[in-house]
Amino acid sequence: MPVPPPAEPAPRRRVGFAPVVDADTRLLILGSLPGDASLAAGQYYAHPRNGFWRLTGGVIGRDLIALPYPQRLEALKAAGIGLWDVITTAHRAGSLDAAIRDPEFADLTGLVATLPQLRAVAFNGATAARAGRRAMAGYADALTLIDLPSSSPAHARPLAEKARAWAVLDEFTG
């Protein structure tokens, strides 16, 4: 009688980070859920091939890659940019959004209510856009909602092409 293959372990529950915002946040960039490299480092967009810091650095005109992580966050906040994710916790094996199971969604409307200067919400990738647009439907007239190509290396588009799309964020920074 054949022996069944060993059962794969259940995906671990991943828990994202707190929002990085302040009262001067004019643009909120929402990802889906931090990947393994980010969770291990305790930092947003920590995977070395993720283009996020190059893309946002291009928008604000600063080399964010050269800065230590706390200074990167301060540079974003100084430009009026906040960060968070649309999913606060989920089961996921690996880092791909397609592997997300049983997500718990962030209280985006609760956060937005605390940001008096907020003018726009940008979604970093399709998963963030799908969930984020549903959550932000009541704000569609009050805020500009922007879908961006994912900064993830799994989203195989040239960085220069992504940068052209991300350049629209310039209107909300500074």
Side-chain angles (χ1 to χ4, degrees), residues 18 47 60 65 71 73 86 91 95 108-109 115 119 125 127 129 137 141 144 146 148 159 165:
H47 192 288
I60 67 172
I65 297 293
Q71 290 177 2
L73 296 181
V86 298
H91 286 98
S95 296
L108 298 179
T109 58
L115 302 174
R119 296 176 38 219
T127 298
D141 292 335
T144 301
I146 303 163
L148 298 169
L159 190 63

Side-chain angles (χ1 to χ4, degrees), residues 21-166:
V21 296
D22 62 23
D24 296 323
T25 298
R26 292 181 303 282
L27 168 65
L28 179 62
I29 300 176
L30 298 171
S32 55
L33 179 69
D36 288 347
S38 293
L39 292 170
Q43 300 178 2
Y44 279 103
Y45 303 102
H47 192 288
R49 289 187 25 235
N50 191 300
F52 179 83
W53 297 109
R54 287 181 292 280
L55 293 166
T56 53
V59 169
I60 67 172
R62 291 207 50 197
D63 180 4
L64 297 177
I65 297 293
L67 299 176
Y69 181 71
Q71 290 177 2
R72 290 178 187 183
L73 296 181
E74 288 305 315
L76 288 184
K77 289 196 299 189
I81 299 174
L83 298 178
W84 204 22
D85 291 301
V86 298
I87 298 169
T88 57
T89 181
H91 286 98
R92 181 176 64 199
S95 296
L96 295 177
D97 285 353
I100 292 173
R101 301 291 179 262
D102 305 315
E104 290 181 21
F105 295 97
D107 181 10
L108 298 179
T109 58
L111 178 65
V112 165
T114 70
L115 302 174
Q117 302 300 317
L118 190 66
R119 296 176 38 219
V121 176
F123 306 107
N124 183 1
T127 298
R130 276 190 303 276
R133 281 189 171 274
R134 276 193 304 271
M136 300 302 300
Y139 287 92
D141 292 335
L143 298 171
T144 301
L145 303 179
I146 303 163
D147 295 358
L148 298 169
S150 175
S151 64
S152 169
H155 184 71
R157 287 173 65 180
L159 190 63
E161 184 179 327
K162 292 179 184 184
R164 284 191 292 279
W166 280 62

